[in-house]
Amino acid sequence: MDFKKVYEVMKFAGIMLAGSLVLYAGIVEFIILKGAEDRIVEGSGDAAMWRNIFVALSVSAYMVIYYIKNRMLRTRYKNFTSMVSGLYVKSVVILILCQVPAVLGLVQFFIGAGNRMDFYPFMIISALFFIIFFPRYSEWESVMKESKGGSG
């Protein structure tokens, strides 16, 4: 198992996940461009309530990502294989959680009667999550150096 190749696979997956934010924005803009936002469920008084719930869930996602990232960087592994697989799995989970606010924003867009301002703030939060928490090779290397059996 090649350490650098596994990181590169994870990095590619992360770039694809981050790139999906553009896809979500494209969906929003396509719906607005086609005038289909009036076919979305009529906005209701519940939209503000859902927005608050989604903000709370986004904050929760931040805290979970922060916890996983700190745990990932502090974990010491017994052997090289468990280290590489552990880093890979934790990194992919972090990257998937970085998408949570954007997905919630897309749902809010549909709940909020097609208002793009229901989506874009959440997308920006997701983009910031990707910037802040994207697993870096230097982090993987430091875990490798500090772990038992971390040679490779």
Side-chain angles (χ1 to χ4, degrees):
M1 184 179 306
D2 184 18
F3 187 72
K4 180 102 172 149
K5 284 183 183 176
V6 173
Y7 175 80
E8 291 298 325
V9 169
M10 182 282 306
K11 182 178 168 184
F12 179 76
I15 290 168
M16 292 295 104
L17 287 168
S20 68
L21 300 181
V22 176
L23 175 68
Y24 300 155
I27 291 169
V28 167
E29 292 304 318
F30 179 78
I31 289 171
I32 290 171
L33 180 69
K34 292 295 181 184
E37 72 272 16
D38 57 345
R39 287 184 226 135
I40 295 175
V41 177
E42 293 247 352
S44 67
D46 291 345
M49 176 194 69
W50 283 109
R51 184 178 306 108
N52 292 335
I53 290 170
F54 292 164
V55 166
L57 289 172
S58 295
V59 169
S60 298
Y62 177 90
M63 292 187 300
V64 170
I65 295 167
Y66 185 83
Y67 173 78
I68 293 170
K69 180 100 178 206
N70 279 338
R71 185 171 173 110
M72 177 179 85
L73 296 176
R74 287 183 293 153
T75 302
R76 300 300 163 247
Y77 298 91
K78 294 180 182 173
N79 62 55
F80 182 75
T81 304
S82 67
M83 178 194 60
V84 173
S85 63
L87 287 172
Y88 179 81
V89 168
K90 288 175 184 171
S91 295
V92 170
V93 168
I94 287 169
L95 293 168
I96 290 169
L97 288 172
C98 286
Q99 268 201 333
V100 166
V103 172
L104 293 173
L106 196 55
V107 171
Q108 180 65 31
F109 170 77
F110 290 112
I111 291 173
N115 181 354
R116 65 172 46 105
M117 287 311 295
D118 285 329
F119 168 71
Y120 282 108
F122 286 100
M123 187 191 90
I124 291 168
I125 291 168
S126 269
L128 289 172
F129 283 8
F130 276 107
I131 291 167
I132 294 167
F133 293 113
F134 199 96
R136 287 155 181 78
Y137 187 71
S138 60
E139 295 168 339
W140 279 39
E141 282 183 319
S142 70
V143 171
M144 181 176 70
K145 289 175 184 171
E146 293 176 19
S147 292
K148 289 182 184 178
S151 61

